[in-house]
């Protein structure tokens, strides 16, 4: 009897791992395809893309470690296909996506709900901005072949607003995607996330409206820029 239960449990765990890896692979592919088809040049080698919204959405489901691996895989595929920045670009892509998605997922994992997802996204945006300012200070002189003093002059007027804007845009997209987690749970495509805190329905609607307004504002800014 115990042997049968153990075998059934092992089969269930194996099925879950296969399903998890499959969904992670699909989401990584979607993140890459979004970058492939939509990447907007902003300044020199800085391009705006929306893959982090998909990666952080996956992070809310599977956790920060999964988000890190997905960031690495997506960046590696970019390296061998569309990237023109080489290994330096790979490192910067992984740092940006992982710092954003992993930090957001850590906050969300403590008490999974939309409100904590938003808190995590704010923290992830700030973390990504700080990380990228530090790494642009360290790496950009090597990549662009310019004095570090010139890079310092670009940190506040260029790198800071770019990463904040990128974080806000991807955060707004991730918030709009968040309600689909319950749809995926009901269809049994993902395991049910245990909600440790209930959020008022009115607050959820308010958050979604604010996210939609922010998203619309970001899109308008991109179009008129």
């Amino acid at each position: 009897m115990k042997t049968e239960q153990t075998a059934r449990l092992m089969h269930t765990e194996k099925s879950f791992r296969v399903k998890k890896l499959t969904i992670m692979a699909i989401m990584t592919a979607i993140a890459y395809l979004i970058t492939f088809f939509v990447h907007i040049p902003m300044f020199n080698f800085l391009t705006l893309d929306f893959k982090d919204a998909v990666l952080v959405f996956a992070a809310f489901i599977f956790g920060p470690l999964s988000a890190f691996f997905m960031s690495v895989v997506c960046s590696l595929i970019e390296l061998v296909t569309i990237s023109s920045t080489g290994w330096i670009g790979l490192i910067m892509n992984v740092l940006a996506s992982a710092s954003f998605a992993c930090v957001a997922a850590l906050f969300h994992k403590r008490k999974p709900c939309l409100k904590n997802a938003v808190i995590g996204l704010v923290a992830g945006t700030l973390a990504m901005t700080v990380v990228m300012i530090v790494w642009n200070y360290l790496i950009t002189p090597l990549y662009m072949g310019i004095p570090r003093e010139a890079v310092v002059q670009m940190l506040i007027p260029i790198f800071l607003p770019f990463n904040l804007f990128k974080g806000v845009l991807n955060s707004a997209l991730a918030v709009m995607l968040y309600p689909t987690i319950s749809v995926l749970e009901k269809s049994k495509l993902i395991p049910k996330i245990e909600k440790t805190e209930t959020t008022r329905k009115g607050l959820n609607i308010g958050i979604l409206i604010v996210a939609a307004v922010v998203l619309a504002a970001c899109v308008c800014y991109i179009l008129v820029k």
Side-chain angles (χ1 to χ4, degrees), residues 40-171:
I40 304 166
M42 298 293 285
F43 171 78
N44 201 332
F45 59 90
L46 296 177
T47 57
L48 185 65
D49 59 64
F50 313 109
K51 70 179 178 186
D52 288 345
V54 179
L55 295 176
V56 78
F57 175 73
F60 289 150
I61 299 171
F62 297 117
L65 186 59
S66 297
F68 174 77
F69 284 118
M70 290 174 67
S71 300
V72 172
V73 172
C74 190
S75 298
L76 280 170
I77 298 173
E78 287 182 49
L79 172 66
V80 298
T81 54
I82 60 175
S83 177
S84 60
T85 54
W87 289 99
I88 291 179
L90 169 69
I91 294 170
M92 299 298 270
N93 279 332
V94 171
L95 287 170
S97 295
S99 58
F100 175 69
C102 294
V103 170
L106 283 171
F107 278 82
H108 178 261
K109 188 177 181 180
R110 294 170 60 191
K111 293 181 178 180
C113 65
L114 180 56
K115 183 180 74 175
N116 287 319
V118 172
I119 294 171
L121 289 166
V122 172
T125 297
L126 295 176
M128 179 181 68
T129 302
V130 172
V131 167
M132 297 316 293
I133 284 178
V134 171
W135 279 87
N136 274 296
Y137 173 78
L138 296 172
I139 288 182
T140 302
L142 304 176
Y143 174 72
M144 296 185 67
I146 59 177
R148 197 172 301 278
E149 291 75 16
V151 175
V152 171
Q153 294 177 2
M154 293 190 291
L155 293 179
I156 303 302
I158 295 175
F159 294 117
L160 176 65
F162 170 78
N163 286 289
L164 283 175
F165 182 75
K166 181 180 178 181
V168 168
L169 178 58
N170 279 277
S171 294

